[in-house]
Structures are given as structure tokens and as C-alpha cells.
Amino acid sequence: MKTSEHLAFLQRIATGFNTVRNTSDVTKGLLDHIIFFCKIDDALVYEDLLRSENIPLLLSEYKVLISEIKKKFNDSQSLIQEFSVSVFFEQLLLPYDYKIEIESKRLESYRNENRLLKSQLESWSVKYSEESVEMKNLTRDFEIANSEYNFQKQKLEIVQKERDEFFENNSNILYFSFSPFLEKMDIIEKWILRLSNSNTFSQIIFKDEDSIELAYSILVKMSLLKTVSLPEFYNQITLNKVLSLEKNPSKDKYIAYSINKLKAFIVDNKKEIWEKTIVEYFQIQNFDKIKTVNQDHLKTKDHEEIDLKISNYFESLKS
């Protein structure tokens, strides 16, 4: 399995946990995702991770999701202890059991009517001839009732079969436990620790990974540059790959303003080379003149939006 697919499943699990407030909030979908996740071959995912060009970004995503899930587990210990797989599975079977009960009652009603007509047919056969109007009418009624009974019997068999198939296809839930999933989380955390401590996979331009996402939210999401995926942007803006980013028309002054602002998030010994490389690549004329706006009333809405994004980023660091 690809690392991106692995992360997507982990994201679904994290989203599922966010809606759980008590045991009744646990859904079959959440358990199915956890069961499937626990069956994934860790070695294949790890191999794909090592081949990725975006290891720091992927590790960052793993950190966020695992932290979110483990916090939910810690906050919900009593809920997890109260959760009963057998009770949960019985709840899943209730709609099928309800249908069976309804169809069984209907079948019993048809059976009683069928028996009554059969008994009456036997008693009338002594009093009336087979060719009599009474016997013909009663025989017709019995045949109709018998046909309705057989039809209802088939309906009951269908709903019973549906229940049996559901039970067979989902009986693995009866063996469900959160423990294997938590063990998986521990394995992934070991990946993160091992790879995070390896210089081989570290970008050495930005001070932290989050500031790269800030740069993406400004340069790409504000349409200063043409649309590109976050992983691709990550590799280019950190100078890990040859630059191929494209700027949108008439955006030079905002790109220059952004570069000057984002320079604050570059490690000290890389600030000048990073700025020079990016400015020259985008061929920004008069960079020193347009990289700053000294008076607030001269700022456009785009300047103000860039300022706001950076201000919000600094605020998030305080929380």
C-alpha cells in the first residue's frame, strides 16, 4: 500500500473518533477501518515511505494524526473500557432480527389460516361432493391460502438468509480489540522517530515544517503561483528539487512581498541564498523596491491577506 493511502485510512479513523462521545457513537464504519488498517503490511508501507520524495511532509502528517488519535484514546479510557463488542454486534443484527420477527408473525398468520381451511376442507368432504359449489369454492380458497403461505415462507427464508450472510461477512467484528491498533500506532511512531533523526531526509531551508505549509497557503492558495500539489511545492520551495513553479501574471509585487516576509522562517545561514535563488528564478524586477510596503494605507487587500496569514500563524504558535 502507498503511504498516501495509508495516511488516508488513518485520517478516516481520526475523523471517526472525533464524533465519538459515548459507546453508542461507535460505528461499524469506524471498526471496519480499524480492522482493515491493522491488516495492512507495515513493511510495504515503510518501503513506499522510504521511496517518497516528501518524507518530512509525510512524517509531519503521521505525527499530527497519531497525536490526535492517541489524545482521543487517553481522553476516552472509560468509554473504551465500557465498549462491548458482543453488545455492539447484537445492535448491528437488530434490523435483521426485527425483519425476521415481522415476517415470522405474518407466516404464522398465514399458517393458521391455511390449517383452518385444510381442516374445514377435510370436514366438508364428508358432507359435500367434490363437484359441489361449496367444495369448489373452499378448495379454491385453500389453494390461494396455501400459495400465500408458501410465498410468505419464501420471504422469511430470504430475510433469514440476509441475516446469515451479514453475520458471516462481519463476524470478524466479534474478535475486535483496540490493542492491535494501538500497537500499530507505536510502530509508526518508531518510524517517525527513526526517520526524523536521519539527516538524509531532512530539509535544511525552513526552520520548521509548518512554515512550509504557511508558504503554500500564501503563494499557491492565494494564486500568486499556478496550482501545484503541496508535496511538489514542498520539494521545490525547500530547494530539494529543480524549480519549475510558475507564477501567475501581474503577481510580482505580491510574490516579492511574500518572499521578504517568508524569509523570517528560513534558517539564518540559508536566508540569503534562498532569497537570491527564488527571486532570480521568478525574474522579479526591482525586488528591493517592491518587497516592502512602508505605509499601511498603500497596502492592497492581497498585502493585508498575506500579513493576516502570517499573523495568524504566529498566534497559533502561542496556543
Side-chain angles (χ1 to χ4, degrees):
M1 173 177 280
K2 291 185 177 181
T3 312
S4 57
E5 296 171 343
H6 195 243
L7 276 167
F9 262 99
L10 201 56
Q11 177 63 68
R12 293 189 190 107
I13 293 169
T15 301
F17 272 122
N18 285 336
T19 63
V20 176
R21 298 292 179 270
N22 51 61
T23 54
S24 63
D25 293 330
V26 177
T27 65
K28 179 179 176 295
L30 175 59
L31 297 194
D32 285 342
H33 285 318
I34 293 175
I35 291 170
F36 180 84
F37 189 84
C38 290
K39 292 179 179 178
I40 295 172
D41 189 331
D42 296 327
L44 294 178
V45 178
Y46 188 70
E47 182 181 343
D48 184 73
L49 177 60
L50 292 179
R51 289 198 302 265
S52 173
E53 296 179 343
N54 313 300
I55 289 180
L57 180 62
L58 295 172
L59 294 181
S60 177
E61 285 296 305
Y62 274 122
K63 285 179 184 177
V64 170
L65 290 174
I66 291 174
S67 175
E68 183 181 334
I69 291 171
K70 285 204 164 186
K71 183 180 184 303
K72 185 65 179 179
F73 263 91
N74 292 334
D75 294 343
S76 310
Q77 281 302 310
S78 59
L79 183 152
I80 292 169
Q81 290 170 3
E82 291 171 9
F83 180 72
S84 167
V85 173
S86 58
V87 171
F88 178 81
F89 199 71
E90 286 175 5
Q91 293 292 320
L92 294 178
L93 291 174
L94 278 179
Y96 297 95
D97 291 338
Y98 177 73
K99 284 183 180 180
I100 289 173
E101 182 181 358
I102 295 296
E103 298 302 336
S104 294
K105 287 180 178 179
R106 288 175 179 166
L107 182 63
E108 184 62 25
S109 175
Y110 282 115
R111 182 185 289 115
N112 291 337
E113 182 180 1
N114 196 49
R115 285 173 178 169
L116 180 63
L117 289 171
K118 185 178 181 181
S119 175
Q120 190 174 1
L121 195 62
E122 289 174 352
S123 65
W124 279 27
S125 64
V126 178
K127 297 192 298 182
Y128 301 99
S129 69
E130 287 186 9
E131 299 303 318
S132 66
V133 174
E134 290 83 1
M135 283 299 291
K136 285 183 178 180
N137 288 339
L138 187 59
T139 300
R140 182 198 61 205
D141 291 344
F142 172 72
E143 289 173 349
I144 292 173
N146 196 52
S147 176
E148 290 174 339
Y149 168 75
N150 288 328
F151 178 71
Q152 183 60 35
K153 187 177 179 181
Q154 289 177 346
K155 286 180 65 178
L156 177 59
E157 289 172 352
I158 289 171
V159 295
Q160 286 174 329
K161 184 179 179 181
E162 288 174 350
R163 184 191 188 280
D164 292 342
E165 288 178 349
F166 180 87
F167 187 97
E168 182 179 350
N169 293 334
N170 297 278
S171 58
N172 58 338
I173 292 176
L174 290 170
Y175 306 99
F176 175 83
S177 170
F178 286 108
S179 296
F181 178 65
L182 292 175
E183 290 170 4
K184 284 275 188 178
M185 296 296 97
D186 291 338
I187 290 171
I188 297 172
E189 282 191 313
K190 289 177 182 177
W191 296 354
I192 294 170
L193 181 61
R194 182 163 59 251
L195 296 180
S196 295
N197 290 333
S198 171
N199 291 328
T200 306
F201 307 114
S202 300
Q203 61 85 18
I204 56 172
I205 300 293
F206 281 77
K207 293 177 180 179
D208 58 72
E209 305 295 325
D210 291 339
S211 58
I212 300 174
E213 293 193 31
L214 170 65
Y216 183 79
S217 74
I218 293 172
L219 292 168
V220 178
K221 290 191 174 180
M222 286 184 61
S223 298
L224 306 185
L225 305 181
K226 292 185 177 178
T227 301
V228 65
S229 69
L230 176 55
E232 184 61 30
F233 176 83
Y234 181 107
N235 281 324
Q236 293 192 46
I237 206 68
T238 57
L239 308 183
N240 283 337
K241 285 182 67 176
V242 175
L243 285 163
S244 61
L245 297 168
E246 297 180 59
K247 62 183 180 180
N248 280 316
S250 305
K251 298 293 183 179
D252 278 21
K253 65 180 179 181
Y254 300 117
I255 294 173
Y257 188 77
S258 301
I259 291 171
N260 188 55
K261 290 284 186 178
L262 291 169
K263 190 176 176 182
F265 302 99
I266 306 299
V267 295
D268 291 341
N269 65 340
K270 300 290 182 180
K271 287 180 185 291
E272 300 308 320
I273 186 65
W274 179 81
E275 179 186 76
K276 184 175 184 295
T277 302
I278 300 296
V279 171
E280 288 181 354
Y281 170 74
F282 285 121
Q283 299 180 343
I284 298 177
Q285 304 298 316
N286 302 314
F287 174 73
D288 289 333
K289 290 183 179 180
I290 62 177
K291 70 179 182 180
T292 58
V293 181
N294 296 323
Q295 299 180 45
D296 288 344
H297 72 275
L298 296 177
K299 290 182 179 180
T300 66
K301 288 184 178 180
D302 282 343
H303 285 122
E304 292 173 349
E305 186 175 351
I306 292 167
D307 289 345
L308 180 61
K309 285 179 179 289
I310 293 173
S311 175
N312 288 341
Y313 175 80
F314 281 121
E315 285 297 319
S316 70
L317 296 179
K318 297 176 184 178
S319 58

